[in-house]
Amino acid sequence: MLNAKSSAGGAGELSRRRFLQAGAAIGGGLLIGWGDTADAEPGSMPVAEFAPNAFIRIGRDGKVTVISPSIEMGQGTYTSLPMLVAEELDVDMSAVGFEHSPPSDKLYGNPAIGGAQITGGSTAIRGFYKPMREAGAAARLMLLDAAAAKLAVGVVELTTANGHVIHAKSGQRISYGALVDDAAKLSVPSKVTLKDPSQFRIIGTPVKRLDGPEKVNGSAKFGIDAQVPGMKIAAIAISPVFGGKLASVNEAAAFAVPGVRQVAKLDEAVAVIADHYWAAKKGLEAAAPKFDDGPNAKLDTADIVAALAKASKRDGVVAKKEGNAAAALGAAAVKLNSVYENPFLAHATMEPVNCTVHVKPDSCDIWVGTQIPSSAQLAVSEVLGIDRDKVSIHNSLLGGGFGRRLEFDFIVLAARIAKQSSDPVKVIWSREEDIQHDMYRPYYYDRITAGLDGEGKLVAWKHRITGSSIMARFFPESFKGGVDIDAVDGATELPYDIPNLLVDYVREEPPGIPTAFWRGVGPTRNAYVVESFIDELAAAAKKDPVEFRRELTGKSPRARYVLDRVAAMSNWGTPMGPRKGRGVALLSAFGSYVAEVAEVTVWDNGEVHVDRVFAVVDCGQVVNPNTVEAQIQSGIVFGISATLWGEITLKDGRVQQSNFDSYRVLRIDEAPKIEVEVVKSSEAPGGIGEPGTSALAPAVLNAVYAATGVRVRKQPIDAALLRSS
């Protein structure tokens, strides 16, 4: 799961079989990273067999390169992870660079996600905070040992600063670059001591993005930028109905388009391969493919919702139980029942999915931006019938991920197309194909009931979650006892003290519709339900929404603190104008605590405009405050799009949305003013990529209620419900 603990220990912990190793870099220098005791002894591994998890390379020029175990998709990983190394290594960030990691669960597995090589679930810092620091600290000690031998002095006489070893007594300074060859011959220390946070020079300071300049000047390379000698371009059309098959294609018409070289037919799709994209696109249009719609030809969204509603009346599998919710509900002075619905959502990344593949007789090269390089490598090896180590993944920057690039369907599809060509083939999905053949966030149907005592205190809570299981497909080993741990994430561990609580889960799969993780995974959906319903209870208890929450957070001081701070920041309780309102939401997820207040205006036509958002985040030890603030801001913007307009619907088996005219996203002139406060904390680092999105929807919808008195229990907002009479 995306927030699972490693089987070898909790987040940030390493298996006892793993330890730091060193070796000589090709061309000279020092390699250091994580190896495995099953393979070798410290310092003994040649370059070809060096097995790091997260490792660093130091050249003779003193340049430090961090091979990042997590992939950069806009979240700042390629700056934050190198900061951890630089802190313990005592080098300036100007001397640090980065590289994408090649595919390998063994070498680059994230300890926060069960050891899988996955970038997701807000786990990059949580998983690698300690390992990356340990790699930097070990390298520093080895450089000190090398310098001590060179100067014939004791290590205790030496210090390090800014990429140099310093001998204060003699005034001598030796650069790391001058020591790396000697250091590479040394055994790695079996134990390293990490800096106390009071000694931090880099961690916790605002550092400019290392990948920023190339993204500004246009030299940054994303998957769609791949250029391979002899490469052809393919445009693709997939059956418009999930489960449909290709019936016919006019190949002659396609070949009549200048530049078209090949028509590649698959069971469920057709691709036209050409010299350039325009020829491929026009050739595909000329080919006019027709499809057999198959068993889902009449499927509508209403059918899926009806099935979910029916399933939600079944008893679910218990995900969490405390006290006796049934008895407490029976004795409650006030009982509330509500149904909340979450729609299917597309990821709509700015870079539509694409993949370049060159299939050779006994090997395959793939150029792509992916969050799961190791899994993609395995999947392609299986579909092509070649050895896994013969599949090379050349990863790149991701033009947005949000969970879409946690899937390898588009990579496998590209491999199947390229298998029919002797040339490298870049397969580019149009925006329409991207949206209409996404792996969607599931449609969820939630029944929630709670009881208040005579004083308006929350005494009972029952939450039933009904929907498809992503985990049963993505991580089947974690789908145990019939509970999808992602589906209930954010519903079972609340920041509130509720004496009698029951959360259960009913699995109901929509026919033919692929579902997948979406920015915020489980807490995105569940925070919307939980925090909206908490507001309903506050109203029933005739209490202020912030005060009602405060009364429930006595056992969670971090939650209460961010709640109090956001209330102060937003001037909570001060009057607002007609059809204006404030709403609050509190989130404890991904190891972080976030409170948000949204201010909205509801226009007379029912349209909602989000005017301002205030956010206070306690994510434990902050690595780069710039990144934290940017991630909260981007999460809020992403969440606004989904809350106001995001919805994938089906009619006659076909997705009705196709581009940004029908799947709307927030435009720059619609963006609210956002204020973010980051709490200084010495707690373990928490995740930050998804909490901003997760807390946004309930804050906005609670603000809509404050402005209009109308509860919105189904996303996206239906303007017709809010029109002024």
Side-chain angles (χ1 to χ4, degrees), residues 234-300:
I236 188 170
I238 307 171
S239 169
V241 177
F242 294 105
K245 301 294 183 183
L246 180 65
S248 66
V249 59
N250 190 338
E251 295 187 53
F255 281 116
V257 175
V260 169
R261 300 300 176 191
Q262 190 174 351
V263 176
K265 293 183 287 186
L266 305 174
D267 288 344
E268 77 283 19
V270 60
V272 172
I273 303 171
D275 293 334
H276 49 81
Y277 184 71
W278 184 248
K281 176 180 171 61
K282 299 306 289 185
L284 186 61
E285 291 175 0
K290 299 186 186 313
F291 295 88
D292 177 355
D293 291 343
N296 299 316
K298 299 299 181 183
L299 183 65
D300 290 353

Side-chain angles (χ1 to χ4, degrees), residues 557-569:
R558 294 175 72 186
R560 178 173 285 186
Y561 182 81
V562 296
L563 179 65
D564 287 345
R565 283 299 307 140
V566 83
M569 281 177 63

Side-chain angles (χ1 to χ4, degrees), residues 81 245 378 383 621 698:
L81 292 184
K245 301 294 183 183
L378 176 61
V383 78
Q621 174 64 59

Side-chain angles (χ1 to χ4, degrees), residues 133-480:
R133 291 176 61 200
E134 287 180 331
R140 175 180 170 274
L141 288 178
M142 295 171 69
L143 291 163
L144 282 167
D145 285 342
K150 196 178 192 73
L151 297 173
V153 300
V155 172
V156 294
E157 297 181 33
L158 301 175
T159 58
T160 57
N162 198 23
H164 289 74
V165 176
I166 303 165
H167 186 236
K169 289 183 179 179
S170 64
Q172 295 184 78
R173 295 167 58 92
I174 307 177
S175 71
Y176 284 175
L179 295 168
V180 291
D181 287 345
D182 291 337
K185 301 171 186 176
L186 302 176
S187 296
V188 179
S190 59
K191 186 177 181 180
V192 295
T193 299
L194 301 179
K195 289 182 180 179
D196 184 84
S198 63
Q199 301 173 297
F200 286 165
R201 182 179 59 88
I202 296 174
I203 293 174
T205 65
V207 172
K208 293 181 179 180
R209 294 278 294 265
L210 297 184
D211 57 335
E214 62 186 46
K215 288 180 176 177
V216 171
N217 65 30
S219 63
K221 299 301 181 184
F222 298 84
I224 206 166
D225 297 318
Q227 294 294 327
V228 180
M231 180 182 73
K232 300 295 186 288
I233 308 295
I236 188 170
I238 307 171
S239 169
V241 177
F242 294 105
K245 301 294 183 183
L246 180 65
S248 66
V249 59
N250 190 338
E251 295 187 53
F255 281 116
V257 175
V260 169
R261 300 300 176 191
Q262 190 174 351
V263 176
K265 293 183 287 186
L266 305 174
D267 288 344
E268 77 283 19
V270 60
V272 172
I273 303 171
D275 293 334
H276 49 81
Y277 184 71
W278 184 248
K281 176 180 171 61
K282 299 306 289 185
L284 186 61
E285 291 175 0
K290 299 186 186 313
F291 295 88
D292 177 355
D293 291 343
N296 299 316
K298 299 299 181 183
L299 183 65
D300 290 353
T301 301
D303 302 324
I304 295 170
V305 177
L308 289 167
K310 181 179 179 181
S312 72
K313 296 178 181 178
R314 303 197 307 258
D315 287 339
V317 179
V318 174
K320 184 168 185 178
K321 182 178 181 181
E322 291 183 350
N324 190 329
L329 282 168
V334 177
K335 186 165 71 173
L336 271 69
N337 295 278
S338 290
V339 171
Y340 284 86
E341 296 180 46
N342 282 277
F344 290 116
L345 290 177
H347 298 86
T349 59
M350 290 297 100
E351 179 192 12
V353 294
N354 61 87
C355 183
T356 302
V357 183
H358 190 191
V359 178
K360 304 168 189 175
D362 60 351
S363 65
C364 176
D365 281 276
I366 300 173
W367 293 264
V368 70
T370 175
Q371 295 172 244
I372 49 167
S374 181
S375 298
Q377 179 193 47
L378 176 61
V380 170
S381 72
E382 291 176 345
V383 78
L384 296 180
I386 60 178
D387 291 342
R388 183 175 183 174
D389 61 2
K390 298 295 184 182
V391 177
S392 298
I393 302 282
H394 308 279
N395 215 342
S396 68
L397 296 169
L398 277 60
F402 315 128
R404 180 63 182 100
R405 288 179 165 90
L406 279 172
E407 304 294 336
F408 49 69
D409 58 302
F410 64 97
I411 301 173
V412 168
L413 196 62
R416 292 167 61 202
I417 292 168
K419 187 178 182 180
Q420 300 183 36
S421 174
S422 59
D423 298 313
V425 179
K426 179 189 290 185
V427 181
I428 299 176
W429 292 33
S430 67
R431 178 62 65 187
E432 289 75 14
E433 290 293 325
D434 184 272
I435 288 178
Q436 295 183 324
H437 295 90
D438 201 343
M439 303 280 284
Y440 303 106
R441 190 189 78 170
Y443 199 114
Y444 273 86
Y445 193 96
D446 291 53
R447 292 186 183 274
I448 190 162
T449 304
L452 304 171
D453 66 13
E455 297 179 352
K457 182 179 179 181
L458 179 57
V459 294
W461 181 276
K462 184 177 180 181
H463 185 180
R464 175 165 297 158
I465 301 164
T466 304
S468 65
S469 173
I470 302 171
M471 298 302 293
R473 173 186 61 83
F474 196 89
F475 269 132
E477 64 274 15
S478 69
F479 184 70
K480 298 176 181 178

Side-chain angles (χ1 to χ4, degrees), residues 675-689:
E675 296 183 30
V676 180
E677 179 179 302
V678 182
V679 176
K680 290 185 178 180
S681 173
S682 59
E683 298 285 345
I688 205 61

Side-chain angles (χ1 to χ4, degrees), residues 21-32 45-48 50 55-61 63-65 67 99 142 180-185:
Q21 292 183 336
I26 296 172
L30 172 65
L31 279 168
I32 189 163
M45 299 188 73
V47 171
F50 188 75
F55 68 91
I56 58 178
R57 184 172 69 244
I58 306 175
R60 289 172 178 159
D61 59 357
K63 183 71 175 180
V64 178
T65 301
I67 291 76
E99 289 181 5
M142 295 171 69
V180 291
D181 287 345
D182 291 337
K185 301 171 186 176

Side-chain angles (χ1 to χ4, degrees), residues 52-93:
N53 179 340
F55 68 91
I56 58 178
R57 184 172 69 244
I58 306 175
R60 289 172 178 159
D61 59 357
K63 183 71 175 180
V64 178
T65 301
V66 175
I67 291 76
S68 176
S70 296
I71 306 302
E72 177 65 59
M73 50 186 166
Q75 79 279 37
T77 293
Y78 284 178
T79 304
S80 297
L81 292 184
M83 286 174 67
L84 300 175
V85 171
E87 180 67 74
E88 298 291 345
L89 186 56
D90 277 344
V91 295
D92 190 80
M93 286 298 292

